[in-house]
Amino acid sequence: MATDVLKIKHLSIDFHTMEGEVHAIRDVTLKLHPGEILALVGESGSGKSVTTKAVMQLLPNNAKVVGGSVEYEGKDLLKMPEKELQELRGNELAEIFQDPMTALDPTMRVGKQIMEPLLKHQKLDRATARQRALTIMEKVGIVNAKQRFNNFPYQFSGGMRQRIVIAMALICHPKVLIADEPTTALDVTIQSQILALIKQLRDELKTAVIFITHDLGVVAGIADRVAVMYAGRILEFGTVEDIFYHPQHPYTVGLLKSTPTMDMNEGDLESIPGNPPNLINPPAGDPFANRNQHALTIDYQKMPPFFKVSDTHYAATWLLDERAPQVHLTEKLEQRRQHYADRLTKEGSANE
């Protein structure tokens, strides 16, 4: 396999608050392969967006990186001067933000906003930049691009505004694209179109994508690999088939059980009991222990290492230790397995 395009190694980030230091990201390690879509999933507050904000070096002022590195093409972005970072952002590294209305300047015409990265990073003349902007507008599905080039953001629907944000992110053909819950505020039909668009553009441009979401149903249709995040840590990672067919961490199983499908019967949907831990005083062991009905004594005492399930699949749970009792975590997932099998088969056929 080609060299990883991005490596996050043992990343730890604290937030200074009036209540104390919040240990928001704790020893996170991730790799992004060229041309793949890596889904970063977990509940709100698990640390997904903070992790990727460190990649873009867009952390808020009260955040501090206390350990680790973020390597892009052999250089640590955390140690890079701001001037060099500015050359990368919007050029080789790009992000699609969750809310397009906050990502777009309401006073600037959309065509000018899409052209801006080309003028700044690639120093193109305005005529060439305008043509490139029109091309990408058409590619992301904005009908009558020439007529709409001089419109303002408020003149577009939510789905069209998100397409404009995607056009801005992709205009310079970035090597790494971060999509931070880009479909959260959209209806199901538009959501499906945006997901298909991201996959299409990934295939055409060979861009590597980190796709952030709390919705495992979305992941089944777009990801190549999945990393499951909880309380500032990665608890499990593997291929999309590994995670959906053979989940190993109780938290991953809980997420799958709480994800609705179209063919579910009443009462099939389960919720995860309890609340995430307080990260001002994070637990010494598995952060999910207090919500895990199968927790062992050691889960409260020591953070488990990653146990190898297969060459592509690893999970940090003491239940995989050879000394642990046998627990059947996935006995109620058969219906969902079939649902995801159908979806993955459908997606695979569509890509052939």
Side-chain angles (χ1 to χ4, degrees):
M1 181 174 287
T3 304
D4 298 312
V5 68
L6 187 73
K7 295 180 181 180
I8 300 173
K9 297 180 179 179
H10 305 293
L11 181 66
S12 294
I13 300 172
D14 289 353
F15 280 78
H16 178 72
T17 72
M18 295 180 68
E19 295 182 359
E21 296 296 315
V22 176
H23 306 291
I25 303 299
R26 302 182 294 145
D27 196 28
V28 166
T29 295
L30 285 172
K31 294 181 180 180
L32 183 64
H33 306 323
E36 78 162 342
I37 297 179
L38 171 66
L40 192 55
V41 305
E43 294 171 290
S44 296
S46 59
K48 308 183 298 296
S49 294
V50 175
T51 299
T52 55
K53 288 292 184 289
V55 174
M56 298 296 288
Q57 281 297 276
L58 294 174
L59 290 167
N61 292 332
N62 67 328
K64 180 181 179 181
V65 177
V66 294
S69 62
V70 179
E71 295 180 8
Y72 170 71
E73 295 193 336
K75 294 183 179 180
D76 188 351
L77 298 175
L78 303 181
K79 298 178 180 179
M80 189 173 288
E82 179 61 25
K83 186 174 181 180
E84 289 185 41
L85 285 169
Q86 289 177 2
E87 291 301 315
L88 292 177
R89 290 194 207 106
N91 187 22
E92 297 181 36
L93 307 175
E95 182 164 0
I96 303 168
F97 296 96
Q98 184 176 129
D99 183 0
M101 278 307 286
T102 59
L104 295 170
D105 185 337
T107 68
M108 187 184 296
R109 300 180 191 277
V110 297
K112 185 176 181 181
Q113 294 188 62
I114 295 171
M115 287 170 55
E116 198 168 34
L118 292 174
L119 299 174
K120 174 179 173 57
H121 295 296
Q122 299 188 5
K123 312 302 182 186
L124 298 182
D125 60 81
R126 298 192 70 84
T128 304
R130 176 186 170 86
Q131 187 54 52
R132 285 270 297 273
L134 286 169
T135 299
I136 196 71
M137 287 175 71
E138 292 171 353
K139 188 178 290 291
V140 300
I142 297 175
V143 181
N144 299 322
K146 287 185 178 180
Q147 288 74 22
R148 308 219 65 182
F149 191 84
N150 289 319
N151 286 166
F152 290 95
Y154 76 87
Q155 294 175 283
F156 292 82
S157 67
M160 285 294 120
R161 284 195 292 265
Q162 192 62 290
R163 290 170 186 267
I164 293 166
V165 173
I166 292 172
M168 290 172 61
L170 293 173
I171 190 71
C172 289
H173 297 182
K175 295 181 180 178
V176 175
L177 174 67
I178 296 169
D180 190 354
E181 303 210 39
T183 61
T184 296
L186 305 177
D187 64 54
V188 177
T189 302
I190 301 301
Q191 180 186 89
S192 178
Q193 293 174 4
I194 295 297
L195 294 176
L197 174 62
I198 290 174
K199 290 186 69 173
Q200 175 191 343
L201 294 173
R202 183 281 305 264
D203 293 340
E204 291 179 3
L205 303 178
K206 308 305 178 187
T207 297
V209 181
I210 299 178
F211 191 94
I212 300 173
T213 183
H214 61 272
D215 186 346
L216 278 172
V218 168
V219 171
I222 193 169
D224 300 305
R225 289 193 303 128
V226 183
V228 181
M229 197 165 189
Y230 179 78
R233 286 187 180 274
I234 302 296
L235 298 187
E236 185 168 2
F237 63 91
T239 66
V240 67
E241 290 85 1
D242 291 334
I243 298 302
F244 283 100
Y245 297 161
H246 308 290
Q248 298 296 313
H249 197 284
Y251 177 60
T252 308
V253 174
L255 285 178
L256 288 167
K257 288 181 177 180
S258 63
T259 301
T261 65
M262 293 295 291
D263 52 357
M264 287 179 63
N265 297 317
E266 185 177 355
D268 286 343
L269 191 63
E270 299 182 25
S271 62
I272 302 175
N275 297 297
N278 184 339
L279 293 184
I280 293 178
N281 296 298
D286 187 335
F288 190 64
N290 68 327
R291 304 175 74 182
N292 177 13
Q293 63 177 320
H294 302 292
L296 308 173
T297 300
I298 194 173
D299 278 311
Y300 297 93
Q301 301 170 343
K302 185 177 180 181
M303 180 67 192
F306 278 103
F307 290 89
K308 181 178 178 179
V309 182
S310 71
D311 289 342
T312 59
H313 190 187
Y314 292 79
T317 171
W318 288 114
L319 292 175
L320 289 175
D321 190 285
E322 60 183 11
R323 297 164 291 179
Q326 294 297 309
V327 175
H328 299 290
L329 294 173
T330 60
E331 56 189 353
K332 294 184 180 180
L333 286 177
E334 290 305 322
Q335 184 179 0
R336 289 177 177 79
R337 278 200 182 103
Q338 187 57 51
H339 170 82
Y340 293 125
D342 293 343
R343 184 162 184 176
L344 290 168
T345 300
K346 179 181 178 182
E347 294 294 336
S349 299
N351 291 332
E352 290 178 357

